[in-house]
Amino acid sequence: MSVCFIDLDGVLVDFVGGAIEHHQLPMLAADADWSFWQRFELSDVDFWNPLGEEFWAGLKPTEDMQQILAAVLSHKYSDAFLLSSPCLTFGCATGKARWVEKHLPAFARRLLLTDRKELFASPG
């Protein structure tokens, strides 16, 4: 059986763009890493705590979302799932689920939320 797991943040969902807009930060270079907020002297608490359910539900899709999905679905995997690691901020998991229901309703029951995404990886 051939299964594909597709990440949300940074792949299908524009998390960085949404966070930059939410915190009113200057735009970053395309090579920004996942701790970009530290460049602006924001603590982890100050960065993550305001990102509640409405933030996660209201994020925009990435520009490449449709191309990525088309490429994945053209490979005829027996199953494809969305895989994401929610932060501990209240409302993150429900906000991500709402985002999927709005933008990818066919995947609404194929959303896996875990802080252990590596368990779904395999060679190749």
Side-chain angles (χ1 to χ4, degrees):
M1 172 155 52
S2 176
V3 178
C4 182
F5 299 100
I6 312 163
D7 198 356
L8 286 180
D9 298 321
V11 179
L12 302 181
V13 179
D14 184 10
F15 166 75
V16 172
I20 287 171
E21 184 179 321
H22 181 83
H23 286 289
Q24 300 177 339
L25 301 173
M27 288 304 278
L28 296 169
D31 66 343
D33 60 27
W34 283 102
S35 58
F36 66 87
W37 61 90
Q38 294 171 352
R39 295 183 190 180
F40 304 103
E41 298 182 14
L42 275 172
S43 70
D44 290 351
V45 170
D46 290 338
F47 178 78
W48 291 105
N49 279 358
L51 306 182
E53 182 175 345
E54 294 307 316
F55 168 80
W56 296 101
L59 289 171
K60 296 175 184 168
T62 61
E63 292 179 11
D64 299 330
M65 181 182 84
Q66 293 302 331
Q67 283 181 287
I68 292 168
L69 288 174
V72 167
L73 297 175
S74 72
H75 283 285
K76 307 284 191 252
Y77 291 101
S78 58
D79 278 312
F81 295 88
L82 302 178
L83 182 62
S84 190
S85 180
C87 67
L88 297 177
T89 304
F90 181 78
C92 177
T94 54
K96 286 177 180 255
R98 284 179 49 204
W99 188 93
V100 170
E101 288 172 3
K102 177 180 179 183
H103 295 280
L104 300 170
F107 284 92
R109 292 179 44 100
R110 294 180 166 271
L111 172 62
L112 305 172
L113 299 173
T114 180
D115 68 339
R116 301 287 310 272
K117 293 191 291 187
E118 70 275 9
L119 297 175
F120 295 86
S122 64

